[in-house]
Amino acid sequence: MNALHDSVAASQQQTRADMEQQLSSKVAAVENSSAQALEAMKAELDHTAQGMGSTGKQLQHARNLVTKLQKQQEDQANELKQEIATKADQQQVGALTEDVSSTKTQLDSTKKLVDDTRSDLGMARSQFGTLIARNHDDIEQLRKMGERDYFEFTLPRDKQQTVAGVGLVLKKANVKRHRFNVNLLADDMVIEKKDRTVNEPIFFSTGSSKQFYEMVVNQVQNDQIKGYISTPKGVKESASAAAQEGQ
């Protein structure tokens, strides 16, 4: 939008400069033509003055002609100024409309590209509109999109691990049914999530943040699960070594 604003401002300045130049040229031409006519009228006036009668009617007539011509010259100059100013405004509006249309087209193209990319990824969406990664490659694709931060984990059973500042404890893993039980430790509370399935998003919030965290488990193995937590942009892990705890 800043680039668009600068482009429109530069276009307006150039357009006005062009119009002012045209205005000066046209007004100069009109003034030159009228000046010649005025000189002829003045010559007629002088001639009339030399041979006028006692009533001076011919002199008055000549003076009226000069006054009328001067008024016509002024009116023509004003009309030209108004005409060119109107055209300048129309051209500026046209330039602005063209720039805005071009920018909208670019935004539409970008949006379509993003939508196509998401479609090509083949990921499902959660009820909150987030894309659900199914594996490490999907997580890397989502990282490149840059909408949220992603923290992967491998969580052994009954060994607490901290991921994105949230404590996780795996309580049960059912490989055959691809289900698990896990406890979330946040804000001095323990939140039990029971009988959850693979690639099922689990949403929760921490602290005073109104934005949600999302936990997804992609694999259920013997006594461990693998998955990720996605957070709003900018959330950092509380400790770099915490993700390796218990492995």
Side-chain angles (χ1 to χ4, degrees):
M1 292 308 295
N2 288 337
L4 174 59
H5 179 272
D6 293 341
S7 175
V8 172
S11 176
Q12 288 177 334
Q13 184 176 1
Q14 184 60 45
T15 300
R16 185 165 296 280
D18 293 342
M19 292 301 101
E20 287 177 352
Q21 184 176 0
Q22 293 181 30
L23 174 62
S24 298
S25 298
K26 289 191 176 183
V27 171
V30 172
E31 289 178 340
N32 182 57
S33 176
S34 297
Q36 293 177 0
L38 279 173
E39 288 299 324
M41 289 297 101
K42 288 179 180 179
E44 180 184 348
L45 178 60
D46 292 339
H47 177 72
T48 304
Q50 293 175 2
M52 68 178 182
S54 59
T55 59
K57 289 184 178 180
Q58 291 176 325
L59 177 60
Q60 185 62 40
H61 175 68
R63 286 175 174 171
N64 289 340
L65 287 177
V66 173
T67 301
K68 181 178 181 181
L69 186 57
Q70 289 175 329
K71 181 65 168 59
Q72 289 176 346
Q73 179 188 19
E74 182 180 355
D75 291 342
Q76 288 176 347
N78 289 334
E79 288 176 2
L80 276 175
K81 290 179 182 178
Q82 182 63 38
E83 177 185 356
I84 294 176
T86 301
K87 287 183 178 179
D89 291 340
Q90 290 175 346
Q91 289 189 16
Q92 289 170 1
V93 172
L96 175 61
T97 302
E98 183 178 352
D99 286 342
V100 172
S101 298
S102 176
T103 301
K104 183 178 183 299
T105 300
Q106 293 176 2
L107 291 176
D108 289 342
S109 298
T110 302
K111 182 178 181 298
K112 184 177 185 303
L113 178 61
V114 172
D115 290 340
D116 290 344
T117 301
R118 288 172 172 171
S119 177
D120 291 341
L121 291 174
M123 300 182 198
R125 284 189 180 276
S126 71
Q127 62 267 39
F128 288 100
T130 57
L131 290 170
I132 303 173
R134 301 156 299 185
N135 49 50
H136 174 73
D137 290 340
D138 283 356
I139 293 172
E140 286 300 316
Q141 290 291 341
L142 294 179
R143 283 194 177 113
K144 291 177 181 178
M145 288 184 179
E147 295 180 353
R148 293 172 66 84
D149 289 332
Y150 293 84
F151 305 90
E152 296 179 76
F153 63 81
T154 298
L155 181 64
R157 184 175 177 180
D158 293 328
K159 292 185 178 180
Q160 181 175 333
Q161 185 176 139
T162 301
V163 182
V166 179
L168 302 178
V169 179
L170 175 63
K171 305 302 293 182
K172 181 180 179 181
N174 189 323
V175 179
K176 184 177 181 179
R177 298 182 59 197
H178 304 289
R179 291 182 175 273
F180 62 92
N181 295 351
V182 66
N183 289 350
L184 306 180
L185 289 72
D187 302 329
D188 297 326
M189 295 187 300
V190 177
I191 305 172
E192 296 182 350
K193 300 294 182 180
K194 295 183 178 181
D195 201 28
R196 297 306 177 103
T197 62
V198 168
N199 296 330
E200 174 189 354
I202 299 172
F203 295 100
F204 59 96
S205 61
T206 64
S208 60
S209 175
K210 295 182 180 180
Q211 296 178 299
F212 61 86
Y213 286 42
E214 177 184 28
M215 173 181 170
V216 176
V217 171
N218 302 128
Q219 296 181 34
V220 177
Q221 301 173 347
N222 288 326
D223 294 329
Q224 74 173 17
I225 56 176
K226 292 184 177 181
Y228 67 89
I229 288 180
S230 76
T231 70
K233 292 294 292 184
V235 174
K236 304 296 183 182
E237 291 237 38
S238 59
S240 60
Q244 303 299 323
E245 182 183 347
Q247 297 186 14

